[in-house]
Amino acid sequence: MNRQEKQAAVREAINKVPLISSAAARLLELSGESEHGIVDIVNIVKYDAVLTSQILKVVNSAAFARRTEVYSIDHAVSLLGEDMVVGIAMSEAAALLFDKKLEGYAAEAGSLWRHDLKTAIAAKIIAGYARTKVNGDLAFTCGLLHDLGKGVLSDFLRNTPEKIRRAMEEKKVPDYAAAERAILGIDHAEAGYELSLNWNLPAPLPQAIRFHHQPALIDEALKPLLYTIHLADIVAMMSGVGTGSDDLQYTLDTAYEMYIPLSGNELAMVMLGVEQEFSKAAAVFLGKEEEASE
Ligand SMILES: [Fe+2]
Ligand SMILES: [Fe+2]
């Protein structure tokens, strides 16, 4: 297959990814609205039986160590908080992509989920340091979705990690996304963008996915959000939670400092906070990972 044919095949695969549930789509949309609360979340969740049972399962799991059983969805959602509910909804809605073994990136099953979850947590924390206000819930959601395109691209990148590693060593390509474009005519950010359009995700989610490695290219108004995601992605990789062969094979655009003025000390604090939040979240999602590895 030449590059044009490969690109067409990738597009076909993107179009074949099943739509996400309307509850998941509505939750993603809600995270971008400035005024929203737990009541709005409950109102979406309670009409989706699968999601409701999943949330009750998580809240009653060992990770939460509650002495009494939680039966009401209102109570469960308020105990879990918005981020966890969005996380549960997305991990179900896009399980096909999140849980698969990323052979094209030489990564284990579940790596994409862990990396996206860690980026989401980092993005929410970093959002708190942005010079112009960045919606933390929106930052979390963008983090959760930013690399979904890899779930599609992976199948088309089998046997390429070694080739890409050499090309990067010889400085033939500036970063991993450029290598993806050279091989397939499309990179994982563009693939994720097209997927998010198919899913009818509202702005700015598609744009955030598309430019997470090139934040300088987005409209000025979205730069604070984009640099938040961009930095969070690198923080997740630096902490050892990447997706395999492309780990840290991207350039950090240091212009983030204009939008997120973090001192070295503060960045260290952010990384510490991310570790703590991530280990809590990972414990909650552990049941899911164990199920996946069975
Ligand atoms: Fe990426
Ligand atoms: Fe990433």
Side-chain angles (χ1 to χ4, degrees), residues 112 115-116 119 143 146-147 150 188 212-213 229 233-234 236-237 241-243 246 250:
L112 184 58
H115 170 68
D116 278 355
T119 304
H146 81 284
D147 272 341
K150 286 182 192 171
H188 72 270
H212 72 269
H213 291 298
I229 314 300
D233 183 28
I234 303 275
M237 289 192 266
V241 179
T243 51
D246 70 333
Y250 302 93

Side-chain angles (χ1 to χ4, degrees), residues 134-215:
V134 169
N135 174 345
D137 296 325
L138 179 60
F140 182 91
T141 304
C142 292
L144 210 53
L145 304 176
H146 81 284
D147 272 341
L148 264 180
K150 286 182 192 171
V152 178
L153 248 54
S154 171
D155 295 343
F156 298 89
L157 292 172
R158 288 201 184 100
N159 309 318
T160 64
E162 184 52 32
K163 190 175 148 192
I164 296 179
R165 192 187 60 77
R166 271 200 309 272
M168 295 223 28
E169 262 174 23
E170 292 162 15
K171 306 227 181 310
K172 284 183 184 150
V173 279
D175 69 1
Y176 214 91
E180 292 170 345
R181 288 195 296 274
I183 296 170
L184 302 174
I186 182 168
D187 65 31
H188 72 270
E190 291 161 346
Y193 169 74
E194 291 184 16
L195 184 62
S196 67
L197 292 182
N198 283 358
W199 286 350
N200 275 319
L201 299 188
L205 297 175
Q207 292 77 3
I209 294 170
R210 183 174 190 168
F211 294 108
H212 72 269
H213 291 298
Q214 300 163 299

